[in-house]
Amino acid sequence: MMTDVMTKTDAPILRLEGVSKTFNGQNGAVEALQPLSLDVRAGEFVCLLGPSGCGKSTLLNLIAGLERPTTGDVFANGRPVVGPGADRVLMFQDGALFPWLNVRANVEFGLRQTGLPKRERAGAAQRWIDAVHLTGFERSFVHELSGGMRQRVAIARALAIDPAILLMDEPFGALDAMTRDLMHRELESIWQSTRKTVLFVTHNVREAVALGDRVLVFAARPGRIVAEFRIDLPRPRSLEDHALVDQARRITAVLREAGANSNHSAARPGEPG
Amino acid sequence: MMTDVMTKTDAPILRLEGVSKTFNGQNGAVEALQPLSLDVRAGEFVCLLGPSGCGKSTLLNLIAGLERPTTGDVFANGRPVVGPGADRVLMFQDGALFPWLNVRANVEFGLRQTGLPKRERAGAAQRWIDAVHLTGFERSFVHELSGGMRQRVAIARALAIDPAILLMDEPFGALDAMTRDLMHRELESIWQSTRKTVLFVTHNVREAVALGDRVLVFAARPGRIVAEFRIDLPRPRSLEDHALVDQARRITAVLREAGANSNHSAARPGEPG
Amino acid sequence: METNMQQAPLPARAWSGLSIGRAQWAPWARRIIFFGGLFLTWEMIARAGIWPEYLFPAPSVVIGALANGIGKGLYLTAAWVSLQRIAVGYAISLAIGVALGLLIGRVRALNETLGSLVLGLQALPSVCWLPLAILWMGLSERAIIFVVVMGALFSITLGVEAGVKNTPPQYVKAARVLGARGLALYTEVVLPAALPAILSGLKQGWTFAWRSLMAGELLFYTLSLGNLLQTGRDLNDAAQVMAVMLMIIIVGVTIDQTVFAPLERRVRARWGLNM
Amino acid sequence: METNMQQAPLPARAWSGLSIGRAQWAPWARRIIFFGGLFLTWEMIARAGIWPEYLFPAPSVVIGALANGIGKGLYLTAAWVSLQRIAVGYAISLAIGVALGLLIGRVRALNETLGSLVLGLQALPSVCWLPLAILWMGLSERAIIFVVVMGALFSITLGVEAGVKNTPPQYVKAARVLGARGLALYTEVVLPAALPAILSGLKQGWTFAWRSLMAGELLFYTLSLGNLLQTGRDLNDAAQVMAVMLMIIIVGVTIDQTVFAPLERRVRARWGLNM
Amino acid sequence: GAPGPSGGPANESAGTPLTVRLGYFPNVTHAVAVVGVARGTFAAALAPTATLEVKTFNAGPSLIEALFAGEIDIGYIGPNPAINGYVKSKGEALRIVAGAASGGALFIVRPDANIKTPADLDGKKLATPQLGNTQDVALRHYLLARGLNTIERGGAVQIIPTQNADILTLFRQGGIDGAWAPEPWASRLILEGNGKVFLDERDLWPGGRFVTTHVIVSARFLTAHPDGIKAFLRAHVETVQFINANLDEAKKIINEEIERITTRGLPEAVLDKSFETLDITYDPVQSSLFTSAEYAFALGFLGDAQPDLSGIYDLTLLNDVLAEKGLAAVTGTGQ
Ligand SMILES: Nc1ncnc2c1ncn2[C@@H]1O[C@H](COP(=O)(O)OP(=O)(O)OP(=O)(O)O)[C@@H](O)[C@H]1O
Ligand SMILES: Nc1ncnc2c1ncn2[C@@H]1O[C@H](COP(=O)(O)OP(=O)(O)OP(=O)(O)O)[C@@H](O)[C@H]1O
Ligand SMILES: [Mg+2]
Ligand SMILES: [Mg+2]
């Protein structure tokens, strides 16, 4: 089932060589990722799909440089990754907004680190706040926002620093359909105009197909890539497009099998309650 | 557009009378919910849809008794709600698991409060851990779990205490498609066998139609109910069912309008970056 | 949308003004009742005559002594001298303690070495520092301030360290991927994330600055609260001892109510820690 | 799935065994180097003769005094007496302080009244409590322990209070909707949620228990560290003063390394606070 | 010793054997108490009707507080704490029933401070153990009498009240030029600080006698158990006689006792030197107490109104004991 990860002719912006990760938890060791190799071309949009706990977030953490792989190496732009870098930005699954900063300051945070002058910083931040439709909430604090609003602040914060590689961990999970739709279009246009490289984790197969050049399907326990799909559909893509829906259906089938091969194969437990 | 909230012949298990909520934030006051009246029959499954920040979480908080309404009253089982009660349990959007407890202890938490003997507690907890497919992770701590796994622990924890009213705030947001599917079936069967009353917030219209007896559509700023749909499709429902897809499409249209009527109508900001 | 945003604030502001007005009086009423009750109980116990008055004076006697001391100008001068010293000593402790706490809290090797040492040093009573104060600082204000710093510094360090150690790692991770490095990571993320916890360390440090000041002022006699306290004890003047204690408590409570409590309230509101 | 679950642990356990072995030695090596370097520097400064030896003795002299004191059995007996007192005093402070801190941290009316009072009382030096200790407890062990409790209690209270106040409200909300009420809410949610912060309060309390013990032991003569310290000072025996200081630091560091640090490490690992 | 069952201020319950609780410092100026306890003289004198229980202190305030709280019945203490305790309790708490030591306070100066005559003291830094205590008052009065003013009074002499231990440190360091200190500190300033005697305080007093240590008794205990006090004073007088007759043996006992209690004895040289200026006597030298109190009041140390010390002495029991033994009564009662 496992397809070989293909190598491109142009040098990959991101290269993983035999990267694996094992956690030593209170509950014994968990092999979150089996050794995995992967190349990502500059400007590629890669979507990661897979059952819960299959190591998608772990993979993004490794690429972001927040965790060190148990084996193997990660290369970004040909240089080994030893820590976070301004070329890669990770958007966390839970947002991880700073509660002591208001919305504007949160969005400005990354820009301030680059030493951007105040005026430009404010301008850029405002553009991104507007882009995620939080105009009017610039001075609100995190705990005053709804779940979806927080997620949008996190998106604006990550995009504001304009990194070469964007690592997005379920960024649109808490968004309503319409905002999600808008954000898709927004992200796609940013990606197209700036040729960023995007690694995008989602649970929504159609979202993956609508956005990705490539879709990687993971299986859990141990985490590994079990399938890879190239999506050559013309852009902009519509979620209602027939070809897209078909492609999504194929991936869903693989995904189901991936899930079945990991822990979901366990006998359904008796009806509790 | 606003349809009148209907009253049932049988006494409602949940009644909201002119309930509104205004927050005084750093950013001035935010009218999270305009005065709103609502009756929910015992055993009813009500889905709440609406753009981000329209007050869905706020509404659940009010019903749970965690917040006091600015105006109006909430009645559960005919008694005014003055605080949390064992008859209503709220599942938080961000899980809010206890990091100092392992998975089993988190799930047992509510049961321990009722004074259930240890052996029964362990049995019930194990059944629910199995039901959310976390067998083998009983002794893991929260920070050792993936995002989806955390959400599943939160679900197990809420369901374990078997409340009459279940308030679920985007419970399946972080789940992969397959687990989500399984959880739908699980929740539906629990609901059917125990006739719980469920208020279910989601951003997934098809999920709402698949699960709900009734779907309430909210608009934002100020938060209010703008439409209400009865879903009379036979159960069990399939997400691929034509009637369901049609119904979902109708609701999506209303939702889009609700979104357009609130802040999404703002002019699209210029392309930043 | 513009109109929607502007609609809400108007009634709400009037509203919040009202509730703040209410919220400001109730605590003071409670405080007056509480401390009033306390004094009354104390007075009653003292008057019951279980203990000799010269060891356990009634509050009325203590307040008499206080009024007398203030009337003669002695107590206020003394308090002023002591306050200046504690301000300087505390400021120094604050600057060093915050830096030290940050380092110990985040650099593991320092934690294992310097961290333990700080804990050990903190256990030393101020009296241990008196000879070294004279040795290093001579008979001067600096010697007293040195003792204050030695008393408060380690407490503040430990408080900051604890706060910093308990920073949710998520914030640090987010800051790192957003490009925060070195000092900025500390000043812009670790420190603010830990601020609610750090504030409590600063509060403790403040009180220990007092304790050390009382010891440090015994280095040599100058008109100061520490010496009034000691003189009171030397003269077996329980009323004077308690009057000075009362002054310390009053200053402590005042500083708490005017500096720490509002600061804490604001920080907690902003951090979303209020329930 | 069963097989999947069992596959991973085997290599990983061997691994973790190794890394723990490694992790356990490195800190000790660092500590030895650090404290060794500290002593060396001290020795060199002392030998340089900038300060007279009777005021700033070299560590070799201090260790000589320590060895001599221990050899005569004096220091160990004294340390044993003091340790017993501090154990009892600390245990009492712990019990009362945790309860008081919980109350003050969560009940607003108490915070505004009792909370301020605690802050004021904490600022009082131990010497203030000596007369009351004699009056209320007599010339007995209880009087000394009373002084220890008065010194440590408020520090622990403030630490617990701060921890409890900074409990993320989300946990309390979750617990409330899950049916936690009254005491259970405190013991099962507020306290554990605040535990990392509380631990630091307990650590501070421990060190202040020491400080107060040193003052309390001066109430009357018994063989104890406090009196050894005072005797050393009265005799201007800097070596003895520093030997006692060293004993306090050693006991402090030992307790930190054997009780607080591992506890803290475990709590932080469990709470997911390690980065 | 083991804590006795004698709680409370009383000891008044008849039937149970009386416990006499004695408090003192393990110090040369408390030689009578130290030797009396060590030789068992007190215990023997009280037997069989009463037993002795001792508590040792290292500071005056604690001892007075313990007396106030009814935790001790008899105490050896200097004139200052006795006066303060008497005044603060409005004469209720205690009585002086005997003297225990006289002398033992010297004005020591640093050789390189070039202090030859009182006039040389101008502009110097001088230390005393505590603001307003006997030595502090003595120094201030001495300066005033010689036309020298302290800084507070617009003069140039700086008086630094600081603890005895710090006096020695400062003296060695050159931080002060001289100190008016009690024994054994004065001797240590000479021996360890290389100091010179500028003045022996005995030279300022008639007969070279001024009170250094007293025996005080809780007033209530005195009323309730005069016989017990009398028995105690008998032993007190005997011990005074013993020390004066066997000074070398007494010194040995004293140093053994100091070492036993505080873990550290005094260097022999310090002990010897201390006893050169210290007189062990049962005479409370009342006149010196009153004179010193007058000086203190004049210097503003005893409050706004001159305290009435007329009732502080109760020497009838002591004189009874002296009469029994055929010794001359102590005189000069009242002012
Ligand atoms: N504590 C608070 N202080 C101030 N404003 C708040 C507070 N909590 C919520 N709000 C505001 O109330 C509105 C409704 O929030 P709520 O969390 O109920 O939205 P929601 O419908 O759950 O959105 P989402 O789908 O994004 O979770 C938002 O505009 C939010 O900014
Ligand atoms: N710090 C940790 N300690 C121990 N185990 C961990 C830790 N972090 C992750 N794991 C384990 O590693 C596995 C992969 O986790 P990861 O968060 O990468 O999953 P995921 O694919 O992102 O899942 P989800 O879709 O639910 O977010 C899980 O089994 C999890 O339990
Ligand atoms: Mg994840
Ligand atoms: Mg919400």
Side-chain angles (χ1 to χ4, degrees):
Chain A
M1 188 73 220
M2 175 81 180
T3 58
D4 270 330
V5 172
M6 72 199 79
T7 38
K8 308 277 158 192
T9 44
D10 38 349
I13 190 167
L14 203 63
R15 157 165 271 165
L16 278 68
E17 286 179 359
V19 167
S20 79
K21 182 73 188 180
T22 303
F23 289 105
N24 293 302
Q26 310 255 347
N27 201 15
V30 174
E31 198 179 4
L33 273 182
Q34 275 195 332
L36 171 156
S37 295
L38 176 70
D39 278 6
V40 178
R41 262 184 308 114
E44 210 178 354
F45 199 122
V46 180
C47 290
L48 277 51
L49 279 170
S52 170
C54 68
K56 305 180 297 291
S57 298
T58 304
L59 183 67
L60 293 199
N61 273 311
L62 291 170
I63 297 171
L66 288 175
E67 302 256 15
R68 304 301 311 266
T70 305
T71 67
D73 285 297
V74 179
F75 298 90
N77 274 315
R79 285 187 305 276
V81 165
V82 291
D87 53 335
R88 292 153 283 134
V89 70
L90 170 61
M91 256 198 68
F92 291 88
Q93 206 163 351
D94 61 1
L97 296 177
F98 304 126
W100 58 91
L101 298 178
N102 62 22
V103 168
R104 186 199 304 286
N106 260 291
V107 175
E108 281 188 11
F109 184 89
L111 298 171
R112 211 168 47 237
Q113 307 309 318
T114 65
L116 203 70
K118 197 169 171 176
R119 174 179 293 268
E120 287 172 48
R121 219 161 62 202
Q126 190 61 54
R127 273 200 306 282
W128 284 107
I129 290 167
D130 295 343
V132 297
H133 309 294
L134 284 172
T135 321
F137 285 87
E138 291 84 358
R139 299 182 57 215
S140 294
F141 286 94
V142 175
H143 66 101
E144 297 171 354
L145 301 179
S146 77
M149 290 155 90
R150 287 177 206 186
Q151 200 73 20
R152 283 183 275 155
V153 177
I155 292 168
R157 187 176 67 171
L159 288 174
I161 62 170
D162 193 24
I165 304 174
L166 248 171
L167 307 166
M168 308 181 87
D169 200 349
E170 299 187 44
F172 302 152
L175 301 188
D176 61 292
M178 202 169 129
T179 313
R180 195 166 181 142
D181 239 48
L182 282 173
M183 292 311 300
H184 283 176
R185 271 181 274 153
E186 198 72 54
L187 179 60
E188 197 167 356
S189 88
I190 292 158
W191 171 70
Q192 286 195 320
S193 61
T194 61
R195 300 310 296 174
K196 284 189 195 309
T197 310
V198 182
L199 264 76
F200 188 99
V201 172
T202 175
H203 284 304
N204 190 320
V205 180
R206 287 209 285 169
E207 182 170 81
V209 177
L211 292 170
D213 289 329
R214 222 175 355 148
V215 175
L216 304 178
V217 179
F218 283 71
R221 276 156 238 163
R224 64 205 183 276
I225 299 176
V226 289
E228 176 174 341
F229 297 86
R230 309 227 89 238
I231 316 289
D232 291 320
L233 303 173
R235 295 177 188 263
R237 300 167 185 165
S238 153
L239 282 175
E240 268 88 43
D241 183 76
H242 272 296
L244 189 146
V245 172
D246 287 348
Q247 182 69 283
R249 190 170 299 135
R250 274 197 299 281
I251 296 177
T252 305
V254 174
L255 198 55
R256 197 154 287 169
E257 204 173 319
N261 280 338
S262 58
N263 74 338
H264 287 165
S265 65
R268 286 286 302 285
E271 229 56 88
Chain B
M1 186 76 219
M2 175 82 183
T3 58
D4 271 328
V5 173
M6 74 198 79
T7 36
K8 309 276 157 191
T9 44
D10 37 350
I13 189 167
L14 203 63
R15 157 165 271 166
L16 278 68
E17 287 179 358
V19 168
S20 79
K21 180 73 187 178
T22 303
F23 289 104
N24 293 303
Q26 309 257 346
N27 202 15
V30 173
E31 198 178 4
L33 274 182
Q34 276 196 330
L36 170 157
S37 295
L38 176 68
D39 278 6
V40 178
R41 262 185 306 115
E44 208 177 356
F45 198 123
V46 180
C47 289
L48 276 51
L49 279 171
S52 171
C54 68
K56 305 181 294 295
S57 298
T58 303
L59 183 64
L60 293 199
N61 273 312
L62 291 171
I63 296 171
L66 289 174
E67 302 257 16
R68 303 302 309 268
T70 304
T71 67
D73 284 296
V74 178
F75 298 89
N77 275 314
R79 284 188 305 275
V81 166
V82 290
D87 52 337
R88 290 153 285 135
V89 70
L90 171 61
M91 254 198 68
F92 291 88
Q93 205 163 350
D94 61 1
L97 296 177
F98 303 127
W100 57 91
L101 297 178
N102 63 22
V103 168
R104 189 200 303 288
N106 260 291
V107 175
E108 280 187 12
F109 184 89
L111 298 172
R112 211 168 47 238
Q113 308 309 318
T114 64
L116 203 69
K118 198 171 171 174
R119 173 180 295 269
E120 287 171 51
R121 217 159 64 201
Q126 190 60 54
R127 271 200 308 280
W128 283 107
I129 290 168
D130 296 343
V132 297
H133 310 296
L134 284 173
T135 322
F137 286 86
E138 290 86 357
R139 300 181 55 215
S140 295
F141 286 94
V142 174
H143 67 102
E144 298 171 353
L145 301 178
S146 77
M149 289 155 90
R150 288 178 205 184
Q151 201 72 19
R152 283 183 275 156
V153 177
I155 293 168
R157 187 176 68 173
L159 289 174
I161 61 170
D162 192 25
I165 304 173
L166 248 171
L167 307 166
M168 307 179 89
D169 199 349
E170 300 186 45
F172 303 152
L175 301 187
D176 61 292
M178 203 168 130
T179 313
R180 194 167 182 141
D181 237 50
L182 281 173
M183 293 310 301
H184 282 177
R185 272 181 273 154
E186 198 72 56
L187 178 60
E188 197 168 358
S189 88
I190 293 159
W191 170 71
Q192 285 195 319
S193 61
T194 60
R195 301 307 300 169
K196 285 188 194 311
T197 309
V198 181
L199 264 75
F200 188 99
V201 171
T202 176
H203 284 304
N204 190 319
V205 181
R206 287 210 285 169
E207 183 171 82
V209 177
L211 292 170
D213 288 330
R214 212 164 17 137
V215 174
L216 304 179
V217 178
F218 283 72
R221 277 157 238 164
R224 64 207 184 275
I225 299 176
V226 287
E228 175 174 344
F229 296 87
R230 312 229 85 239
I231 316 291
D232 290 319
L233 303 173
R235 295 179 189 261
R237 300 168 187 164
S238 154
L239 282 176
E240 270 85 45
D241 184 75
H242 271 296
L244 189 146
V245 173
D246 288 349
Q247 181 69 284
R249 188 169 301 133
R250 274 197 298 281
I251 296 178
T252 305
V254 174
L255 198 53
R256 195 153 290 168
E257 202 172 323
N261 281 339
S262 58
N263 74 337
H264 288 163
S265 64
R268 287 285 301 283
E271 228 58 88
Chain C
M1 189 217 146
E2 286 287 293
T3 43
N4 275 344
M5 283 305 300
Q6 283 176 343
Q7 213 171 16
L10 285 172
R13 259 187 215 134
W15 218 72
S16 81
L18 243 176
S19 70
I20 285 172
R22 219 185 294 133
Q24 269 176 341
W25 285 111
W28 283 109
R30 273 197 286 272
R31 249 167 242 146
I32 288 164
I33 292 169
F34 175 78
F35 284 101
L38 214 65
F39 273 85
L40 218 73
T41 320
W42 176 9
E43 182 83 38
M44 267 157 36
I45 293 176
R47 295 236 174 143
I50 310 165
W51 294 302
E53 198 213 289
Y54 39 87
L55 259 187
F56 193 79
S60 50
V61 177
V62 173
I63 288 170
L66 190 65
N68 182 38
I70 291 176
K72 281 199 275 177
L74 272 182
Y75 281 25
L76 290 188
T77 316
W80 178 238
V81 169
S82 295
L83 273 173
Q84 280 175 304
R85 288 173 180 161
I86 206 170
V88 175
Y90 186 68
I92 296 173
S93 312
L94 203 61
I96 307 178
V98 169
L100 211 59
L102 269 176
L103 283 173
I104 293 178
R106 289 244 81 87
V107 184
R108 212 175 143 188
L110 282 182
N111 194 332
E112 283 160 355
T113 52
L114 203 57
S116 298
L117 185 64
V118 165
L119 198 87
L121 288 176
Q122 200 200 6
L124 295 177
S126 300
V127 72
C128 291
W129 299 110
L130 297 181
L132 291 177
I134 295 180
L135 178 61
W136 290 334
M137 306 286 164
L139 271 184
S140 65
E141 282 296 298
R142 284 189 305 146
I144 296 175
I145 286 167
F146 172 80
V147 176
V148 173
V149 171
M150 285 298 118
L153 171 62
F154 305 122
S155 171
I156 292 176
T157 303
L158 279 189
V160 173
E161 179 211 353
V164 156
K165 263 189 181 167
N166 298 333
T167 307
Q170 203 65 353
Y171 296 140
V172 178
K173 285 185 188 169
R176 288 178 66 209
V177 302
L178 290 169
R181 290 278 169 290
L183 197 64
L185 193 63
Y186 285 65
T187 56
E188 296 199 29
V189 182
V190 174
L191 214 48
L195 201 55
I198 286 176
L199 264 180
S200 92
L202 302 193
K203 235 165 94 171
Q204 291 230 1
W206 168 256
T207 65
F208 289 112
W210 266 114
R211 288 202 191 183
S212 308
L213 181 66
M214 295 297 114
E217 288 185 336
L218 299 186
L219 263 178
F220 51 91
Y221 188 89
T222 49
L223 182 58
S224 59
L225 290 185
N227 274 299
L228 283 180
L229 186 72
Q230 189 58 39
T231 311
R233 188 148 186 260
D234 285 340
L235 298 177
N236 296 100
D237 188 340
Q240 172 158 337
V241 169
M242 291 213 178
V244 176
M245 284 168 75
L246 216 57
M247 285 204 62
I248 297 175
I249 293 175
I250 289 169
V251 174
V253 171
T254 308
I255 295 278
D256 180 42
Q257 292 302 322
T258 57
V259 180
F260 289 111
L263 206 63
E264 211 168 42
R265 236 186 332 265
R266 271 181 50 190
V267 164
R268 291 180 50 225
R270 191 152 164 178
W271 267 237
L273 287 170
N274 290 316
M275 268 179 297
Chain D
M1 186 218 149
E2 285 285 294
T3 43
N4 276 345
M5 284 304 299
Q6 284 176 343
Q7 215 172 11
L10 286 173
R13 258 188 215 135
W15 218 73
S16 81
L18 244 176
S19 71
I20 285 174
R22 220 184 295 132
Q24 268 177 342
W25 285 111
W28 282 109
R30 274 197 285 271
R31 249 167 244 145
I32 288 165
I33 292 168
F34 175 79
F35 284 103
L38 212 66
F39 273 84
L40 218 73
T41 320
W42 176 7
E43 181 84 39
M44 268 157 30
I45 294 176
R47 295 234 176 147
I50 310 165
W51 293 302
E53 202 214 285
Y54 53 82
L55 275 179
F56 194 78
S60 50
V61 177
V62 173
I63 287 170
L66 190 64
N68 181 39
I70 290 176
K72 284 199 272 178
L74 277 180
Y75 281 24
L76 290 187
T77 316
W80 177 237
V81 169
S82 295
L83 274 174
Q84 280 175 304
R85 288 174 180 158
I86 207 171
V88 175
Y90 186 67
I92 295 172
S93 312
L94 203 61
I96 307 178
V98 169
L100 211 59
L102 269 176
L103 284 172
I104 292 177
R106 289 242 80 87
V107 184
R108 212 173 144 189
L110 282 181
N111 193 333
E112 284 159 355
T113 52
L114 204 57
S116 296
L117 184 64
V118 164
L119 199 86
L121 288 177
Q122 200 200 8
L124 295 178
S126 299
V127 73
C128 293
W129 299 111
L130 297 181
L132 293 177
I134 296 178
L135 182 60
W136 289 336
M137 304 289 164
L139 283 174
S140 65
E141 283 297 298
R142 283 189 305 146
I144 297 175
I145 288 167
F146 173 81
V147 175
V148 173
V149 170
M150 285 298 119
L153 171 63
F154 305 121
S155 172
I156 293 176
T157 304
L158 278 189
V160 173
E161 179 211 354
V164 156
K165 262 188 183 169
N166 297 332
T167 306
Q170 202 64 351
Y171 296 140
V172 178
K173 284 186 188 167
R176 288 178 66 210
V177 300
L178 289 169
R181 289 277 170 290
L183 197 64
L185 193 63
Y186 285 66
T187 57
E188 298 199 30
V189 182
V190 174
L191 214 48
L195 201 55
I198 286 176
L199 264 181
S200 93
L202 302 193
K203 235 164 94 172
Q204 292 230 3
W206 168 256
T207 65
F208 290 112
W210 266 114
R211 290 201 190 182
S212 307
L213 181 66
M214 293 299 113
E217 288 185 336
L218 299 185
L219 266 177
F220 50 92
Y221 265 111
T222 49
L223 181 57
S224 58
L225 291 184
N227 272 301
L228 284 179
L229 187 72
Q230 189 59 37
T231 307
R233 194 165 138 66
D234 282 343
L235 295 176
N236 291 87
D237 185 343
Q240 171 155 336
V241 169
M242 292 214 178
V244 175
M245 283 169 76
L246 216 57
M247 286 203 63
I248 296 174
I249 291 176
I250 289 170
V251 174
V253 171
T254 307
I255 295 279
D256 180 42
Q257 291 301 323
T258 57
V259 180
F260 290 110
L263 206 65
E264 211 167 40
R265 233 182 339 264
R266 270 180 52 191
V267 165
R268 292 180 50 225
R270 194 154 162 175
W271 267 238
L273 287 170
N274 290 315
M275 267 179 295
Chain E
S6 54
N11 258 326
E12 280 148 26
S13 52
T16 52
L18 179 67
T19 305
V20 178
R21 296 161 304 169
L22 169 68
Y24 65 99
F25 302 177
N27 203 334
V28 287
T29 52
H30 290 228
V32 182
V34 173
V35 172
V37 168
R39 296 183 68 236
T41 323
F42 296 142
L46 291 170
T49 46
T51 54
L52 183 74
E53 195 183 300
V54 296
K55 279 283 179 204
T56 43
F57 296 82
N58 53 23
S62 289
L63 192 147
I64 295 288
E65 282 153 8
L67 188 98
F68 280 0
E71 291 290 320
I72 59 167
D73 308 311
I74 305 177
Y76 283 75
I77 197 131
N80 274 76
I83 295 177
N84 291 329
Y86 181 79
V87 172
K88 288 305 161 198
S89 65
K90 303 192 176 73
E92 281 173 26
L94 60 89
R95 297 286 179 272
I96 295 171
V97 292
S102 154
L106 305 173
F107 186 5
I108 312 289
V109 293
R110 274 195 311 119
D112 44 345
N114 268 323
I115 301 172
K116 305 268 188 292
T117 65
D120 296 335
L121 291 170
D122 211 18
K124 295 288 191 287
K125 275 191 188 175
L126 308 171
T128 60
Q130 183 191 313
L131 183 71
N133 89 330
T134 325
Q135 286 84 34
D136 191 62
V137 168
L139 174 60
R140 285 172 201 273
H141 178 76
Y142 179 84
L143 294 173
L144 212 58
R146 278 145 195 84
L148 295 165
N149 271 319
T150 56
I151 284 179
E152 302 92 83
R153 291 167 171 263
V157 188
Q158 191 179 347
I159 295 183
I160 299 158
T162 181
Q163 284 140 322
N164 284 318
D166 294 331
I167 290 181
L168 181 54
T169 303
L170 288 166
F171 197 84
R172 282 163 138 177
Q173 261 199 311
I176 51 172
D177 303 305
W180 198 301
E183 293 295 0
W185 298 96
S187 294
R188 294 190 60 202
L189 286 172
I190 297 168
L191 294 168
E192 295 169 35
N194 204 19
K196 263 186 1 184
V197 181
F198 179 76
L199 183 79
D200 184 335
E201 196 180 331
R202 287 186 296 186
D203 301 344
L204 301 175
W205 294 94
R209 283 150 54 86
F210 62 96
V211 68
T212 300
T213 311
H214 286 134
V215 182
I216 56 169
V217 173
S218 146
R220 245 191 295 180
F221 191 87
L222 182 61
T223 320
H225 305 285
D227 294 345
I229 298 295
K230 199 166 176 179
F232 181 87
L233 286 176
R234 225 171 262 133
H236 174 74
V237 172
E238 282 163 17
T239 307
V240 169
Q241 289 173 321
F242 169 82
I243 294 172
N244 286 324
N246 312 277
L247 193 55
D248 286 335
E249 193 190 341
K251 281 186 204 165
K252 205 167 135 265
I253 293 172
I254 289 164
N255 222 12
E256 277 168 6
E257 279 292 289
I258 292 177
E259 179 162 3
R260 179 181 66 81
I261 295 165
T262 71
T263 75
R264 290 282 290 275
L266 286 170
E268 236 168 79
V270 172
L271 195 67
D272 288 342
K273 201 152 196 66
S274 298
F275 273 97
E276 284 173 18
T277 57
L278 190 68
D279 300 315
I280 301 304
T281 172
Y282 45 76
D283 185 348
V285 206
Q286 298 167 63
S287 56
S288 75
L289 182 111
F290 293 129
T291 308
S292 179
E294 264 167 42
Y295 292 164
F297 178 71
L299 285 161
F301 285 123
L302 288 178
D304 307 324
Q306 179 136 23
D308 175 17
L309 296 177
S310 55
I312 195 169
Y313 287 102
D314 189 338
L315 300 175
T316 41
L317 291 171
L318 176 65
N319 281 330
D320 285 355
V321 169
L322 293 177
E324 272 175 25
K325 295 190 179 288
L327 296 163
V330 294
T331 50
T333 328
Q335 280 159 292

